[in-house]
């Protein structure tokens, strides 16, 4: 195999951990699904999935090589991503913070705009950039060769996990939002758990010394 089973399982588990943490994608998809229905949420998710693929193609085309050659840019973006994740953690943990399943007020949109907003939300999401720039290269094994192919396979695995889990959020958003509105204690627990996880991940990201692998 071009990619080891351990690498596939590792990237899948990390993506699972990332996708369940409240971020721009989850907040937008949940809000859209609660306000406008599952169909609108799934159309928005199609835009998010397209954003995943755009990042993946950029990574496979050698984006990691740029950061391997100019490590200062890589470190700067990684630290900026850590600060962003800490900000998300503070939003969840601060007194009076809100859960991702507390929907934002959104006006109903047409399918084309739903797709476009999902795509834009994904492309501007630092958490996704962090995944491809900082984490994905750590699972690439140069000794196996085909660095580009490894990045592509790992990225497709990440995309599949991300889209599947987000689809579950879209389908269940209304029910979960109602549950949390009726059970504020569970809403607080959800905020504290996800906020703590975000903070831990931010610290790990900021202190990690791994570097991107340049494609041959």
């Amino acid at each position: 195999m071009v990619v080891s089973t351990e690498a596939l399982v590792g990237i899948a588990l990390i993506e699972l951990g990332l996708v369940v943490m409240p971020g721009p994608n989850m907040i937008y998809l949940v809000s859209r699904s609660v306000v406008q229905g599952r169909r609108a949420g799934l159309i928005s998710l199609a835009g998010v999935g397209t954003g995943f693929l755009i990042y993946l193609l950029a990574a496979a085309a050698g984006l990691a090589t740029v950061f391997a050659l100019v490590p200062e840019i890589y470190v700067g973006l990684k630290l900026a991503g850590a600060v962003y994740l800490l900000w998300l953690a503070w939003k969840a943990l601060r007194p009076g913070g809100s859960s991702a399943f507390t929907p934002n007020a959104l006006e109903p949109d047409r399918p084309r705009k739903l797709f476009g907003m999902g795509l834009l939300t994904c492309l501007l999401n630092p958490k996704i950039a962090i995944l491809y720039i900082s984490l994905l290269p750590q699972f690439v094994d140069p000794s196996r060769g085909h660095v580009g192919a490894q990045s592509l396979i790992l990225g497709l695995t990440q995309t599949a996990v991300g889209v599947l889990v987000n689809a579950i959020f879209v389908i269940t958003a209304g029910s979960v939002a109602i549950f949390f509105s009726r059970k504020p204690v569970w809403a607080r627990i959800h905020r504290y758990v996800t906020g703590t996880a975000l903070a831990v991940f931010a610290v790990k990201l900021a202190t990690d010394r791994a570097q991107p692998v340049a494609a041959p």
Side-chain angles (χ1 to χ4, degrees):
M1 293 177 63
V2 176
V3 179
S4 68
T5 303
E6 291 79 6
L8 288 174
V9 172
I11 198 66
L13 289 176
I14 286 182
E15 170 59 13
L16 179 62
L18 282 174
V19 77
V20 298
M21 297 179 189
N25 288 346
M26 181 197 289
I27 292 170
Y28 176 72
L29 291 172
V30 168
S31 296
R32 180 57 68 189
S33 301
V34 172
V35 172
Q36 198 174 342
R38 293 176 181 174
R39 180 174 180 272
L42 291 173
I43 294 173
S44 300
L45 176 57
V48 170
T50 302
F52 285 155
L53 292 176
I54 290 174
Y55 269 117
L56 170 57
L57 292 175
L63 183 62
T65 302
V66 175
F67 295 101
L69 296 175
V70 190
E72 294 80 9
I73 298 178
Y74 171 80
V75 172
L77 286 174
K78 186 170 69 168
L79 292 177
V83 170
Y84 170 76
L85 291 177
L86 284 174
W87 177 70
L88 288 179
W90 164 245
K91 285 185 64 179
L93 294 172
R94 68 183 179 182
S98 60
S99 166
F101 287 92
T102 302
N104 297 322
L106 297 173
E107 293 293 330
D109 286 326
R110 295 180 179 276
R112 180 179 297 180
K113 188 172 182 180
L114 292 172
F115 180 89
M117 285 301 298
L119 173 61
L120 186 62
T121 300
C122 182
L123 292 179
L124 297 180
N125 183 358
K127 197 162 67 172
I128 305 304
I130 289 167
L131 178 70
Y132 284 103
I133 293 170
S134 304
L135 295 178
L136 192 65
Q138 297 179 34
F139 290 90
V140 173
D141 183 357
S143 66
R144 288 178 172 266
H146 305 289
V147 170
Q150 290 186 59
S151 297
L152 185 64
I153 294 171
L154 291 168
L156 288 173
T157 301
Q158 174 272 325
T159 298
V161 173
V163 170
L164 176 61
V165 176
N166 275 308
I168 294 173
F169 287 142
V170 166
I171 293 170
T172 62
S175 300
V176 175
I178 292 172
F179 174 80
F180 279 163
S181 68
R182 295 175 177 174
K183 305 286 185 179
V185 172
W186 285 103
R188 286 196 296 272
I189 292 174
H190 177 258
R191 288 197 295 111
Y192 294 150
V193 170
T194 54
T196 301
L198 281 167
V200 170
F201 182 73
V203 172
K204 184 178 184 303
L205 179 66
T207 56
D208 186 81
R209 297 181 180 275
Q211 296 294 319
V213 178

